[in-house]
Amino acid sequence: MEELKAETLFIWGRQDPHVLFAARETIRARLEAVGANYGWLEVNGQHAFLRDEGPRCMIPPCSPRR
C-alpha cells in the first residue's frame, strides 16, 4: 500500500460474508501504518448492497464486470 498516492474511498457492507470485520480492520490498520489518505464508509448491507450481482443487478449485461 505504500504505492497508494491518490486519496481512496473504501465502501464496505458490514454484513459482507466475503470481507469479514477482521479483514477490514487489517486493511484499515495497514492504511494507517503507511499514512494513506483515505475515506472509509461502512453501510448496513451485504456484499451486493450496490446491486452488482443477482437478478436485480444495475450493471448492464454488456459491461466488462459481468
Side-chain angles (χ1 to χ4, degrees):
M1 287 197 190
E2 294 83 1
E3 296 86 16
L4 186 62
K5 302 294 184 215
E7 183 173 6
T8 305
L9 174 61
F10 294 85
I11 303 174
W12 308 97
R14 287 190 182 128
Q15 293 82 30
D16 187 341
H18 305 289
V19 186
L20 302 176
F21 177 78
R24 294 192 308 272
E25 288 299 300
T26 299
I27 294 166
R28 189 174 207 160
R30 184 70 179 139
L31 289 165
E32 290 292 324
V34 301
N37 187 12
Y38 70 95
W40 190 275
L41 175 64
E42 292 188 25
V43 298
N44 283 322
Q46 294 186 7
H47 181 72
F49 64 88
L50 293 174
R51 301 210 185 278
D52 62 349
E53 55 186 46
R56 296 179 62 195
C57 179
M58 295 172 57
I59 300 172
C62 61
S63 170
R65 288 188 53 202
R66 297 284 299 219

